Amino acid sequence: MLEPGDKGLPADAAGLTVAEFLARKPSLTDLWTPLLVIDDGALDDNIAFLAGWVAERGLELMPHGKTTMAPQLWWRQLDAGATGITVATPSQLRVAVDAGIPAVMLANQLVQPDAIRWTAAAMAAGTRVWSWVDDVAGIDAIEHALGDSAAQPLEVLVDVGRPGGRTGARSLEAAVAVAQRAAASPAVRLAGVTGYEGAVAHGRDAEALASARAYVDELLAVHQALTPLYDDRDVVVSAGGSAYPDVVGAAFAAAGPTRREAPRNAPAVRGAGVGPVGGDRTRFVLRSGAYLVHDHGYYRQNSPFDGAGLRPAARGLARVVSRLDASTAIVDAGKRDFPFDEGLPEPLYAIGAAGERMPLPGAVTTKLSDQHGFVRIAGDSPLGVGDLVVFGLSHPCTMFDKWRLVPVVDTLDDPLNAIVTDLVETRF
């Protein structure tokens, strides 16, 4: 049910169901600014590209769901071949289980007793869940919470880090010690290794790429060292954000997975790998999440697939509400509406009152306040009050959390004639 507080929707949408609203075939111009809008065609293309890229290398994809927190989009990713979804917190895990996602990776150490017990119950009810551990204290917490009542052990992946990094065991020896503790515990099952190369490398220069590759090699070395501790079930090796999927994919492919077609609606247990490091039970899993909508900023600069498979699927729309200074236009969108932590919105062009497209040469967003954006423009620019400015956005991971419902349109090539085809609900 649509509510009066749903940003961007017209006033007469309140009280309608989403289906009733969409049945009216609303145009993008019926909506109010500010707006976050998704291009359906670009979304489909991005999903299909990475699904195919991963499958060609014999790998799996469990994209990070925290990027959108939108089960509708998660299911589109699973339908294209993803074998599960990754989340960051127990609350996000609850959203995934409630949405019926059959396989979920929790990219953190479970430590709260109630969350541990809830996860065990979700697993007993049929959801496959892997959580991370980087310290024997994490295993102690699970044992303390479950006692002798666990219907089945929680599956854990040893998180591998570096000194001064984020989470993760700080050395091979430390990782082996955690794994040994896990293998001996009746409350957990040692199910593989994991980590995040984006915590140790930044940018796309040669040094950053080498650092990312060295980290993945370390992760594979830990996996090799843990081989005697694994049982005879499937084993997961996982890494890969959206900045270095090429580095991770190359290292994982070299470790031995066989090529296979992208799975369809198939999150069941898979033995995807063969070879000296993989073994025929090893599943090599990437977790890239931002690829779904890509962007005009951080990932345009850092993704290896920008313009070579991925294109920005999101835009921000705002109207000029003040132009009292010749070189500044104030628009009705700010920090409450658009992401700003990895770059300010980029003015792409404007649409005037008569529907004409206006280029904005040299235009730059200089500042965002809570509900206003400051755009520096040429002093002789015809941009005026009421004109619509289309923005490119940076960093998908802080894009969706500002919206309960995000409109999806059939195209953003021609905003004035775009039709709203869906409303994506987020669950932050």
Side-chain angles (χ1 to χ4, degrees):
M1 187 69 69
L2 303 180
E3 301 173 358
D6 286 323
K7 290 197 301 183
L9 299 187
D12 61 359
L16 300 177
T17 65
V18 170
E20 289 169 339
F21 176 69
L22 295 177
R24 294 160 49 167
K25 297 189 179 302
S27 69
L28 185 55
T29 55
D30 292 330
L31 307 186
W32 295 11
T33 56
L35 280 173
L36 171 65
V37 185
I38 304 298
D39 184 312
D40 197 43
L43 198 67
D44 263 347
D45 289 347
N46 291 346
I47 291 172
F49 167 76
L50 197 62
W53 188 91
V54 168
E56 286 171 2
R57 288 153 180 81
L59 311 176
E60 295 184 47
L61 178 64
M62 294 186 185
H64 216 316
K66 70 171 174 62
T67 301
T68 64
M69 283 307 297
Q72 287 164 261
L73 299 182
W74 297 349
W75 274 108
R76 286 176 68 159
Q77 292 169 293
L78 264 67
D79 287 344
T83 52
I85 292 293
T86 299
V87 296
T89 68
S91 293
Q92 293 175 3
L93 175 61
R94 286 170 54 190
V95 173
V97 172
D98 181 65
I101 304 298
V104 188
M105 187 183 301
L106 174 62
N108 253 322
Q109 188 161 251
L110 266 172
V111 295
Q112 185 172 336
D114 286 348
I116 293 170
R117 287 189 285 268
W118 184 91
T119 301
M123 292 180 64
T127 304
R128 186 96 187 257
V129 180
W130 299 264
S131 62
W132 295 10
V133 291
D134 65 1
D135 191 330
V136 295
I139 301 170
D140 292 342
I142 294 172
E143 289 179 342
H144 179 73
L146 298 182
D148 298 326
S149 63
Q152 63 186 86
L154 297 192
E155 298 197 75
V156 297
L157 308 178
V158 175
D159 181 12
V160 178
R162 276 185 178 173
R166 197 169 66 179
T167 61
R170 290 334 202 206
S171 67
L172 173 62
E173 293 75 18
V176 170
V178 174
Q180 289 173 334
R181 178 73 172 83
S185 173
V188 303
R189 173 187 173 251
L190 177 62
V193 298
T194 187
Y196 177 49
E197 73 291 341
V200 302
H202 306 280
R204 294 290 301 181
D205 60 26
E207 182 179 357
L209 295 174
S211 179
R213 178 57 193 250
Y215 172 80
V216 180
D217 288 344
E218 292 169 13
L219 181 69
L220 291 169
V222 173
H223 171 57
Q224 183 72 53
L226 302 190
T227 299
L229 298 173
Y230 294 140
D231 60 21
D232 59 358
R233 296 176 60 193
D234 64 333
V235 175
V236 170
V237 178
S238 177
S242 294
Y244 304 105
D246 54 335
V247 175
V248 176
F252 281 5
T258 56
R259 293 175 182 269
R260 59 184 171 82
E261 294 185 358
R264 299 282 172 175
N265 287 318
V269 175
R270 294 180 179 275
V274 295
V277 177
D280 60 7
R281 298 177 292 112
T282 304
R283 306 168 61 178
F284 291 88
V285 178
L286 272 69
R287 304 188 306 274
S288 309
Y291 82 95
L292 185 68
V293 293
H294 198 44
D295 70 10
H296 280 89
Y298 181 81
Y299 285 108
R300 169 160 279 183
Q301 298 171 15
N302 289 287
S303 170
F305 303 135
D306 177 63
L310 300 182
R311 57 191 174 108
R315 303 289 188 279
L317 274 62
R319 291 192 182 276
V320 177
V321 293
S322 180
R323 187 166 174 203
L324 298 180
D325 298 326
S327 61
T328 302
I330 308 298
V331 299
D332 61 353
K335 294 178 180 179
R336 304 286 178 88
D337 311 298
F338 297 160
F340 57 91
D341 60 315
E342 293 287 359
L344 295 176
E346 176 188 345
L348 301 176
Y349 62 91
I351 299 175
E356 72 280 16
R357 182 176 293 216
M358 291 185 285
L360 296 173
V364 176
T365 301
T366 59
K367 183 175 68 172
L368 293 182
S369 55
D370 286 349
Q371 309 284 185
H372 296 90
F374 295 72
V375 181
R376 187 176 66 235
I377 55 176
D380 59 354
S381 172
L383 189 67
V385 171
D387 290 343
L388 185 69
V389 181
V390 179
F391 291 89
L393 304 175
S394 180
H395 200 202
C397 295
T398 54
M399 188 181 295
F400 287 79
D401 59 335
K402 298 162 179 60
W403 299 84
R404 187 179 86 91
L405 294 170
V406 181
V408 179
V409 296
D410 55 352
T411 179
L412 277 172
D413 294 336
D414 182 8
L416 293 184
N417 293 305
I419 300 298
V420 179
T421 59
D422 202 359
L423 295 175
V424 169
E425 181 185 10
T426 68
R427 297 184 62 185
F428 285 96

Coordinates of all heavy atoms in Angstrom, one line a residue, residues 254-330:
A254 N 42.2 -19.8 -11.9 CA 43.5 -20.5 -11.9 C 43.6 -21.6 -10.9 O 44.4 -22.6 -11.0 CB 44.7 -19.5 -11.8
A255 N 42.8 -21.5 -9.8 CA 42.8 -22.5 -8.7 C 42.1 -23.7 -9.1 O 42.2 -24.7 -8.4 CB 42.2 -21.9 -7.5
G256 N 41.4 -23.7 -10.2 CA 40.9 -25.0 -10.7 C 39.4 -25.2 -10.9 O 39.0 -26.3 -11.3
P257 N 38.5 -24.2 -10.8 CA 37.1 -24.5 -11.1 C 36.9 -24.8 -12.6 O 37.5 -24.3 -13.4 CB 36.4 -23.2 -10.7 CG 37.4 -22.2 -10.8 CD 38.7 -22.8 -10.5
T258 N 36.0 -25.7 -12.8 CA 35.6 -26.1 -14.2 C 34.6 -25.1 -14.7 O 33.9 -24.5 -14.0 CB 35.0 -27.5 -14.3 OG1 33.9 -27.5 -13.4 CG2 36.0 -28.5 -13.9
R259 N 34.6 -25.0 -16.1 CA 33.6 -24.1 -16.7 C 32.2 -24.8 -16.7 O 32.1 -26.0 -16.8 CB 34.0 -23.7 -18.1 CG 35.2 -22.9 -18.2 CD 35.7 -22.7 -19.7 NE 36.9 -21.9 -19.7 CZ 36.9 -20.6 -19.8 NH1 35.8 -19.9 -19.9 NH2 38.1 -20.0 -19.9
R260 N 31.2 -23.9 -16.4 CA 29.9 -24.5 -16.4 C 28.9 -23.4 -16.8 O 29.2 -22.2 -16.7 CB 29.5 -25.1 -15.1 CG 29.5 -24.0 -14.0 CD 29.2 -24.7 -12.6 NE 29.5 -23.8 -11.5 CZ 28.7 -22.9 -11.1 NH1 27.5 -22.7 -11.7 NH2 29.0 -22.1 -10.1
E261 N 27.7 -23.8 -17.3 CA 26.7 -22.8 -17.6 C 26.2 -22.1 -16.3 O 26.2 -22.8 -15.2 CB 25.5 -23.4 -18.3 CG 25.9 -24.0 -19.7 CD 24.7 -24.5 -20.4 OE1 23.6 -24.5 -19.9 OE2 24.9 -24.9 -21.6
A262 N 25.7 -20.9 -16.4 CA 25.2 -20.2 -15.3 C 24.0 -21.0 -14.8 O 23.1 -21.3 -15.5 CB 24.7 -18.8 -15.6
P263 N 23.9 -21.3 -13.5 CA 22.8 -22.0 -12.9 C 21.5 -21.1 -12.9 O 21.6 -19.9 -12.8 CB 23.2 -22.3 -11.5 CG 24.2 -21.3 -11.2 CD 24.9 -21.0 -12.4
R264 N 20.4 -21.8 -13.1 CA 19.1 -21.0 -13.1 C 18.3 -21.5 -11.9 O 17.9 -22.6 -11.7 CB 18.3 -21.3 -14.4 CG 19.1 -20.9 -15.6 CD 19.0 -19.4 -15.8 NE 19.8 -18.9 -16.9 CZ 19.9 -17.7 -17.3 NH1 19.1 -16.8 -16.8 NH2 20.7 -17.3 -18.3
N265 N 18.0 -20.5 -11.0 CA 17.2 -20.8 -9.8 C 17.7 -22.0 -9.1 O 17.0 -22.9 -8.7 CB 15.7 -21.1 -10.2 CG 15.0 -19.9 -10.6 OD1 15.1 -18.8 -10.0 ND2 14.3 -19.9 -11.7
A266 N 19.0 -22.1 -8.9 CA 19.6 -23.3 -8.4 C 20.6 -23.0 -7.3 O 21.8 -23.1 -7.5 CB 20.3 -24.1 -9.5
P267 N 20.2 -22.6 -6.1 CA 21.1 -22.3 -5.0 C 21.5 -23.5 -4.2 O 22.0 -23.4 -3.1 CB 20.3 -21.3 -4.2 CG 18.9 -21.8 -4.3 CD 18.8 -22.3 -5.8
A268 N 21.1 -24.7 -4.7 CA 21.5 -25.9 -3.9 C 23.0 -26.1 -3.9 O 23.7 -25.4 -4.6 CB 20.8 -27.1 -4.6
V269 N 23.4 -27.1 -3.1 CA 24.8 -27.4 -2.9 C 25.4 -27.7 -4.3 O 24.9 -28.5 -5.0 CB 25.0 -28.5 -1.9 CG1 26.5 -28.9 -1.9 CG2 24.5 -28.2 -0.6
R270 N 26.6 -27.1 -4.6 CA 27.2 -27.4 -5.8 C 28.7 -27.7 -5.6 O 29.4 -27.0 -4.8 CB 27.2 -26.2 -6.8 CG 25.8 -25.9 -7.2 CD 25.7 -24.7 -8.2 NE 24.4 -24.5 -8.6 CZ 23.8 -25.1 -9.6 NH1 24.5 -25.9 -10.3 NH2 22.5 -24.8 -9.9
G271 N 29.2 -28.6 -6.3 CA 30.7 -28.9 -6.3 C 31.2 -28.3 -7.6 O 31.2 -29.0 -8.6
A272 N 31.7 -27.1 -7.6 CA 32.1 -26.4 -8.8 C 33.5 -26.5 -9.2 O 33.9 -26.1 -10.3 CB 31.7 -24.9 -8.7
G273 N 34.4 -27.0 -8.3 CA 35.8 -26.9 -8.6 C 36.5 -28.2 -8.7 O 36.1 -29.2 -8.2
V274 N 37.6 -28.2 -9.5 CA 38.5 -29.3 -9.5 C 39.9 -28.7 -9.5 O 40.1 -27.5 -9.8 CB 38.3 -30.1 -10.8 CG1 37.0 -30.8 -10.8 CG2 38.5 -29.3 -12.1
G275 N 40.9 -29.5 -9.2 CA 42.3 -29.0 -9.3 C 43.0 -29.1 -8.0 O 42.4 -29.5 -7.0
P276 N 44.3 -28.7 -8.0 CA 45.1 -28.9 -6.8 C 44.7 -28.0 -5.6 O 44.9 -28.5 -4.5 CB 46.5 -28.5 -7.3 CG 46.3 -27.6 -8.5 CD 45.0 -28.1 -9.1
V277 N 44.1 -26.9 -5.8 CA 43.7 -26.0 -4.7 C 42.2 -26.2 -4.5 O 41.7 -26.3 -3.4 CB 44.0 -24.5 -5.0 CG1 43.4 -23.7 -3.9 CG2 45.5 -24.3 -5.1
G278 N 41.4 -26.3 -5.6 CA 40.0 -26.4 -5.5 C 39.5 -27.7 -5.0 O 38.8 -27.8 -4.0
G279 N 39.9 -28.8 -5.6 CA 39.3 -30.1 -5.3 C 37.9 -30.1 -5.8 O 37.3 -29.1 -6.1
D280 N 37.3 -31.3 -6.0 CA 36.0 -31.4 -6.7 C 34.8 -31.0 -5.8 O 33.7 -31.1 -6.2 CB 35.8 -32.8 -7.3 CG 35.8 -33.9 -6.2 OD1 35.9 -33.5 -5.0 OD2 35.8 -35.0 -6.6
R281 N 35.1 -30.6 -4.6 CA 34.1 -30.1 -3.7 C 34.1 -28.6 -3.4 O 33.2 -28.1 -2.8 CB 34.2 -30.8 -2.3 CG 34.1 -32.3 -2.3 CD 34.4 -32.9 -0.9 NE 35.7 -32.7 -0.5 CZ 36.1 -31.9 0.5 NH1 35.2 -31.2 1.2 NH2 37.4 -31.9 0.9
T282 N 35.0 -27.9 -4.0 CA 35.2 -26.5 -3.7 C 34.4 -25.6 -4.6 O 34.3 -25.8 -5.8 CB 36.7 -26.1 -3.9 OG1 37.5 -27.0 -3.1 CG2 36.9 -24.7 -3.5
R283 N 33.7 -24.6 -3.9 CA 32.9 -23.6 -4.6 C 33.6 -22.3 -4.5 O 33.8 -21.8 -3.4 CB 31.5 -23.6 -4.0 CG 30.8 -24.9 -3.9 CD 29.6 -24.9 -3.0 NE 28.6 -23.9 -3.5 CZ 27.4 -23.7 -2.9 NH1 27.1 -24.4 -1.8 NH2 26.5 -22.9 -3.4
F284 N 34.0 -21.7 -5.6 CA 34.6 -20.4 -5.7 C 33.6 -19.4 -5.9 O 32.9 -19.3 -6.9 CB 35.7 -20.4 -6.7 CG 36.9 -21.3 -6.5 CD1 36.9 -22.6 -6.8 CD2 38.0 -20.8 -5.8 CE1 38.0 -23.4 -6.6 CE2 39.1 -21.6 -5.5 CZ 39.1 -22.9 -5.9
V285 N 33.4 -18.5 -4.9 CA 32.2 -17.6 -4.9 C 32.7 -16.1 -4.8 O 33.4 -15.7 -3.9 CB 31.4 -17.9 -3.6 CG1 30.2 -16.9 -3.6 CG2 30.9 -19.3 -3.6
L286 N 32.2 -15.3 -5.8 CA 32.4 -13.9 -5.7 C 31.1 -13.2 -5.1 O 30.0 -13.8 -5.2 CB 32.5 -13.3 -7.1 CG 34.0 -13.3 -7.7 CD1 34.5 -14.7 -8.0 CD2 34.0 -12.4 -9.0
R287 N 31.3 -12.0 -4.5 CA 30.2 -11.4 -3.8 C 29.9 -10.0 -4.3 O 29.3 -9.2 -3.6 CB 30.6 -11.3 -2.3 CG 30.9 -12.6 -1.7 CD 31.0 -12.5 -0.2 NE 31.9 -11.5 0.2 CZ 33.2 -11.7 0.4 NH1 33.7 -12.9 0.2 NH2 34.0 -10.7 0.7
S288 N 30.4 -9.6 -5.5 CA 30.2 -8.3 -6.1 C 28.7 -7.9 -6.0 O 27.8 -8.7 -6.4 CB 30.6 -8.2 -7.5 OG 32.0 -8.8 -7.6
G289 N 28.4 -6.7 -5.5 CA 27.1 -6.2 -5.4 C 26.8 -4.9 -6.1 O 25.7 -4.8 -6.6
A290 N 27.7 -4.0 -6.1 CA 27.5 -2.7 -6.7 C 27.3 -2.8 -8.2 O 26.8 -1.8 -8.9 CB 28.6 -1.7 -6.3
Y291 N 27.8 -3.9 -8.9 CA 27.7 -4.0 -10.3 C 26.2 -3.8 -10.8 O 26.0 -3.5 -11.9 CB 28.2 -5.4 -10.8 CG 27.2 -6.5 -10.6 CD1 26.4 -6.9 -11.6 CD2 27.0 -7.1 -9.4 CE1 25.4 -7.9 -11.5 CE2 26.1 -8.1 -9.2 CZ 25.3 -8.5 -10.2 OH 24.3 -9.5 -10.1
L292 N 25.3 -4.2 -9.9 CA 23.9 -4.2 -10.3 C 23.4 -2.9 -11.0 O 22.8 -2.9 -12.0 CB 23.0 -4.5 -9.1 CG 21.5 -4.7 -9.3 CD1 21.3 -5.9 -10.1 CD2 20.8 -4.7 -7.9
V293 N 23.8 -1.8 -10.3 CA 23.4 -0.5 -10.9 C 24.6 0.3 -11.4 O 24.5 1.3 -12.0 CB 22.6 0.4 -9.9 CG1 21.3 -0.2 -9.6 CG2 23.4 0.6 -8.6
H294 N 25.9 -0.2 -11.0 CA 27.1 0.5 -11.4 C 27.0 2.0 -10.9 O 26.2 2.3 -10.0 CB 27.3 0.4 -12.9 CG 28.7 0.7 -13.3 ND1 29.8 0.2 -12.7 CD2 29.2 1.4 -14.4 CE1 30.9 0.6 -13.3 NE2 30.5 1.4 -14.3
D295 N 27.7 2.9 -11.5 CA 27.5 4.3 -11.1 C 28.3 5.3 -12.1 O 29.0 4.8 -13.0 CB 27.9 4.6 -9.7 CG 29.4 4.5 -9.4 OD1 30.2 4.4 -10.3 OD2 29.7 4.5 -8.2
H296 N 28.2 6.6 -11.8 CA 28.9 7.6 -12.6 C 30.1 8.1 -11.9 O 30.7 9.0 -12.3 CB 28.0 8.8 -12.9 CG 27.0 8.5 -14.0 ND1 25.8 8.0 -13.8 CD2 27.1 8.8 -15.3 CE1 25.1 7.9 -15.0 NE2 25.9 8.4 -15.9
G297 N 30.5 7.5 -10.8 CA 31.6 8.0 -10.0 C 32.6 7.0 -9.6 O 33.5 6.6 -10.3
Y298 N 32.4 6.5 -8.3 CA 33.5 5.6 -7.7 C 33.7 4.3 -8.6 O 34.8 4.0 -8.9 CB 33.0 5.2 -6.3 CG 34.0 4.3 -5.6 CD1 35.2 4.8 -5.0 CD2 33.9 2.9 -5.6 CE1 36.1 4.0 -4.4 CE2 34.8 2.1 -5.0 CZ 35.9 2.6 -4.4 OH 36.8 1.8 -3.8
Y299 N 32.6 3.6 -9.0 CA 32.8 2.4 -9.7 C 33.1 2.7 -11.2 O 33.7 1.8 -11.9 CB 31.7 1.4 -9.5 CG 31.7 0.8 -8.1 CD1 30.9 1.2 -7.1 CD2 32.7 -0.1 -7.8 CE1 31.0 0.6 -5.8 CE2 32.9 -0.6 -6.5 CZ 32.0 -0.3 -5.6 OH 32.1 -0.8 -4.3
R300 N 32.6 3.8 -11.7 CA 33.1 4.1 -13.1 C 34.6 4.2 -13.1 O 35.2 3.9 -14.1 CB 32.4 5.4 -13.5 CG 33.0 6.0 -14.8 CD 32.0 7.0 -15.5 NE 31.0 6.3 -16.3 CZ 30.1 6.9 -17.0 NH1 30.1 8.2 -17.1 NH2 29.2 6.2 -17.7
Q301 N 35.2 4.7 -12.1 CA 36.6 4.9 -12.0 C 37.4 3.6 -11.6 O 38.5 3.4 -12.0 CB 37.0 6.0 -11.0 CG 36.5 7.4 -11.3 CD 36.7 8.3 -10.2 OE1 37.5 8.1 -9.3 NE2 36.0 9.5 -10.2
N302 N 36.7 2.7 -10.8 CA 37.4 1.6 -10.3 C 37.0 0.2 -10.8 O 37.7 -0.7 -10.5 CB 37.2 1.6 -8.7 CG 38.0 2.8 -8.1 OD1 39.2 2.7 -8.0 ND2 37.3 3.8 -7.7
S303 N 35.9 0.1 -11.4 CA 35.4 -1.2 -11.9 C 36.2 -1.5 -13.2 O 36.3 -0.7 -14.1 CB 33.9 -1.2 -12.2 OG 33.6 -2.4 -12.8
P304 N 36.6 -2.8 -13.4 CA 37.3 -3.1 -14.6 C 36.2 -3.3 -15.8 O 36.6 -3.4 -16.9 CB 37.9 -4.5 -14.3 CG 37.0 -5.1 -13.2 CD 36.6 -3.9 -12.4
F305 N 35.0 -3.3 -15.4 CA 33.9 -3.5 -16.4 C 33.2 -2.3 -16.9 O 32.2 -2.4 -17.6 CB 32.9 -4.5 -15.8 CG 33.5 -5.8 -15.4 CD1 33.2 -6.4 -14.2 CD2 34.4 -6.5 -16.2 CE1 33.7 -7.6 -13.8 CE2 35.0 -7.7 -15.8 CZ 34.6 -8.3 -14.6
D306 N 33.6 -1.1 -16.4 CA 33.0 0.1 -16.8 C 33.1 0.3 -18.4 O 34.2 0.3 -18.9 CB 33.6 1.3 -16.2 CG 32.9 2.6 -16.7 OD1 31.7 2.8 -16.4 OD2 33.7 3.5 -17.3
G307 N 31.9 0.4 -19.0 CA 32.0 0.5 -20.5 C 32.3 -0.7 -21.2 O 32.3 -0.8 -22.5
A308 N 32.6 -1.8 -20.5 CA 32.9 -3.1 -21.1 C 32.0 -4.2 -20.5 O 32.5 -5.3 -20.3 CB 34.4 -3.4 -20.8
G309 N 30.8 -3.8 -20.3 CA 29.8 -4.8 -19.8 C 28.8 -4.2 -18.8 O 27.7 -4.6 -18.7
L310 N 29.3 -3.1 -18.1 CA 28.4 -2.5 -17.1 C 28.2 -1.0 -17.6 O 29.1 -0.4 -18.1 CB 29.1 -2.5 -15.7 CG 29.3 -3.9 -15.1 CD1 29.9 -3.7 -13.7 CD2 28.1 -4.7 -15.1
R311 N 27.0 -0.5 -17.3 CA 26.7 0.9 -17.5 C 25.9 1.4 -16.3 O 25.1 0.6 -15.7 CB 26.0 1.2 -18.8 CG 24.7 0.4 -19.0 CD 24.3 0.5 -20.5 NE 23.2 -0.4 -20.8 CZ 21.9 0.1 -21.0 NH1 21.7 1.4 -21.0 NH2 20.9 -0.7 -21.4
P312 N 25.9 2.7 -16.0 CA 25.1 3.2 -14.9 C 23.6 3.0 -15.1 O 23.1 3.4 -16.2 CB 25.5 4.7 -14.9 CG 26.8 4.8 -15.5 CD 26.8 3.7 -16.6
A313 N 23.0 2.5 -14.1 CA 21.5 2.2 -14.2 C 20.7 3.2 -13.4 O 19.5 3.2 -13.5 CB 21.2 0.8 -13.8
A314 N 21.3 4.0 -12.6 CA 20.6 4.9 -11.7 C 20.8 6.4 -12.1 O 21.9 6.7 -12.6 CB 21.0 4.7 -10.3
R315 N 19.8 7.2 -11.9 CA 20.0 8.7 -12.0 C 19.3 9.3 -10.9 O 18.3 8.8 -10.3 CB 19.3 9.2 -13.3 CG 19.8 8.6 -14.6 CD 21.3 9.0 -15.0 NE 21.6 8.5 -16.3 CZ 21.9 7.3 -16.6 NH1 22.1 6.4 -15.6 NH2 22.2 6.9 -17.8
G316 N 19.7 10.5 -10.5 CA 19.0 11.4 -9.6 C 18.4 12.5 -10.4 O 19.0 13.1 -11.3
L317 N 17.2 12.8 -10.0 CA 16.4 13.9 -10.7 C 16.1 15.0 -9.6 O 15.6 14.6 -8.5 CB 15.2 13.4 -11.4 CG 15.3 12.9 -12.8 CD1 16.2 11.7 -12.9 CD2 13.9 12.6 -13.4
A318 N 16.3 16.2 -9.9 CA 16.0 17.3 -9.0 C 15.6 18.6 -9.8 O 16.1 18.7 -11.0 CB 17.2 17.6 -8.1
R319 N 14.9 19.4 -9.2 CA 14.5 20.7 -9.9 C 15.1 21.9 -9.3 O 15.4 21.9 -8.1 CB 12.9 20.9 -9.8 CG 12.2 19.8 -10.6 CD 10.7 20.2 -10.8 NE 10.0 19.1 -11.6 CZ 10.0 19.1 -12.9 NH1 10.6 20.0 -13.6 NH2 9.4 18.1 -13.5
V320 N 15.4 22.8 -10.2 CA 16.0 24.1 -9.7 C 14.9 24.8 -8.9 O 13.8 25.1 -9.4 CB 16.5 24.9 -10.9 CG1 17.0 26.3 -10.4 CG2 17.6 24.2 -11.6
V321 N 15.3 25.2 -7.7 CA 14.3 25.9 -6.8 C 14.8 27.4 -6.6 O 14.0 28.2 -6.1 CB 14.0 25.2 -5.5 CG1 13.3 23.9 -5.7 CG2 15.3 25.0 -4.7
S322 N 16.0 27.7 -6.9 CA 16.5 29.0 -6.7 C 17.7 29.2 -7.6 O 18.6 28.4 -7.8 CB 16.9 29.2 -5.3 OG 17.4 30.5 -5.1
R323 N 17.7 30.5 -8.2 CA 18.9 30.9 -9.0 C 19.1 32.4 -8.8 O 19.0 33.2 -9.7 CB 18.8 30.5 -10.5 CG 20.1 30.8 -11.1 CD 20.3 30.3 -12.5 NE 21.6 30.8 -13.0 CZ 21.9 30.9 -14.2 NH1 21.1 30.5 -15.2 NH2 23.1 31.4 -14.5
L324 N 19.4 32.7 -7.6 CA 19.6 34.1 -7.2 C 21.1 34.6 -7.5 O 21.3 35.8 -7.6 CB 19.3 34.3 -5.7 CG 17.8 34.0 -5.4 CD1 17.5 34.3 -3.9 CD2 16.8 34.9 -6.3
D325 N 22.0 33.6 -7.5 CA 23.4 33.9 -7.9 C 23.6 33.4 -9.3 O 23.3 32.3 -9.6 CB 24.4 33.3 -6.9 CG 24.2 33.7 -5.5 OD1 23.8 34.9 -5.3 OD2 24.4 32.9 -4.6
A326 N 24.3 34.3 -10.1 CA 24.5 34.0 -11.5 C 25.2 32.6 -11.7 O 24.8 31.9 -12.7 CB 25.3 35.1 -12.2
S327 N 26.1 32.3 -10.9 CA 26.9 31.1 -11.1 C 26.4 29.9 -10.3 O 27.1 28.8 -10.3 CB 28.4 31.3 -10.9 OG 28.6 31.7 -9.5
T328 N 25.3 30.0 -9.6 CA 24.9 28.9 -8.7 C 23.4 28.6 -8.9 O 22.6 29.6 -8.9 CB 25.1 29.2 -7.3 OG1 26.5 29.4 -7.1 CG2 24.7 28.0 -6.4
A329 N 23.0 27.3 -9.1 CA 21.6 26.9 -9.1 C 21.4 26.0 -7.9 O 22.3 25.1 -7.6 CB 21.3 26.1 -10.4
I330 N 20.4 26.2 -7.1 CA 20.0 25.4 -6.0 C 18.9 24.5 -6.4 O 17.9 24.9 -6.9 CB 19.6 26.3 -4.8 CG1 20.6 27.4 -4.5 CG2 19.3 25.4 -3.6 CD1 21.9 26.9 -4.1

